[in-house]
Amino acid sequence: SPASVVVFYNSDSPYSQQLKDAFSAALVQTNGQVVKDVDITQGGFNPATEVSDAAQLGANVGVLALSKNKVPTAVAIAQANANAGTPLTLLGGDELYNPNILKDGDSAINGLVLAVPWRWQEGDAFASQATNIWQGRVSWRTATAYDTTQALTNAITQQPTRAETSQLLQNGIAIAGTATDFSLFDRIPLVQAVPGTSAGFRYQFEPI
C-alpha cells in the first residue's frame, strides 16, 4: 500500500529543508502522501505527541529529514516511536549516519533505514583498511574525503598553478582505487540499524 508519511525537519537548516522537499516531491511519484510536516524548531515540539498525532492521521512511515546537529532530537523521536502502539517505519538521510545515533539511540533506532552516499561493506578494500587504521567503521564523510584528496593530489600533480588545478577539477579528473560507491547514480545505497557491536555499540549500520 502507498506510504503515508510524517516528515520531521528543522527549518533552520537548508539541508533539512531541501531533503524534506525532495522527499515529498519523490513520494508523489509512488502515489504516497505526506500527512504532516513537523518543524522541530517550533516552540512546544514534543516527540511523543507528534508521533501519536501522526499515527492518528494514518501515517505508517516517519522520515527524519534532520541535519547532523539534531541527532539528539532524532533519538528522542525514535524513542517516542519505539514506545508507540504501532511504531512508524523510520527513514532518514546521510546526516544521521554517524556513531552518535547508534550510541544514544540504542534499541530505539533498531530498523532505522538511511540513504547514504557510501556504506561500509564486508570485503571492500577501502573499508577494511580504514577499519584497521581507525579501529572502527568509518562514515561516508571519511570515504568521500579520501576520494577528494586523491582527486586534488592528481590535479596538482598535473597542473601546478591554482587556476589550472581548479579548471581540471571542474572538468572532472579520473582517480583510481576510489572509496565512493558510484553506483549511487543508479541506485542509492541504503543502510539499516541492526543489532551488532562492530561499530563499538550495541547496534550498527549494515548495507541492505
Side-chain angles (χ1 to χ4, degrees):
S1 61
S4 294
V5 181
V6 54
V7 181
F8 297 93
Y9 74 105
N10 49 298
S11 58
D12 58 356
S13 164
Y15 163 87
S16 179
Q17 185 75 51
Q18 290 168 11
L19 181 57
K20 174 185 78 73
D21 293 344
F23 182 87
S24 298
L27 189 63
V28 173
Q29 306 302 316
T30 64
N31 295 319
Q33 63 173 336
V34 174
V35 297
K36 190 175 185 182
D37 288 327
V38 179
D39 182 0
I40 67 165
T41 65
Q42 295 300 304
F45 170 73
N46 182 293
T49 299
E50 295 297 349
V51 167
S52 176
D53 288 352
Q56 290 180 15
L57 291 171
N60 51 26
V61 175
V63 173
L64 305 176
L66 304 173
S67 55
K68 62 179 177 290
N69 63 325
K70 301 300 183 185
V71 165
T73 304
V75 168
I77 294 168
Q79 290 170 338
N81 185 59
N83 293 325
T86 305
L88 305 166
T89 298
L90 295 181
L91 312 176
D94 53 276
E95 292 281 83
L96 300 183
Y97 189 40
N98 67 65
N100 288 335
I101 200 163
L102 294 173
K103 175 173 68 74
D104 299 335
D106 199 59
S107 61
I109 53 92
N110 187 24
L112 170 67
V113 174
L114 303 180
V116 296
W118 177 88
R119 57 192 173 180
W120 189 98
Q121 294 190 84
E122 193 75 43
D124 177 83
F126 173 81
S128 297
Q129 291 173 9
T131 299
N132 289 336
I133 292 170
W134 295 104
Q135 298 301 303
R137 294 186 179 183
V138 297
S139 74
W140 66 265
R141 294 173 183 83
T142 305
T144 52
Y146 174 84
D147 287 348
T148 301
T149 302
Q150 281 219 75
L152 182 58
T153 301
N154 287 2
I156 291 173
T157 300
Q158 294 182 44
Q159 302 287 350
T161 70
R162 180 186 295 267
E164 289 170 331
T165 298
S166 177
Q167 189 60 53
L168 259 179
L169 293 173
Q170 287 180 39
N171 293 342
I173 186 167
I175 55 177
T178 61
T180 306
D181 182 356
F182 285 105
S183 66
L184 67 90
F185 294 113
D186 300 315
R187 183 177 179 182
I188 301 296
L190 300 176
V191 295
Q192 185 173 38
V194 298
T197 58
S198 65
F201 310 109
R202 296 201 316 133
Y203 286 81
Q204 64 194 35
F205 286 118
E206 288 290 350
I208 58 173

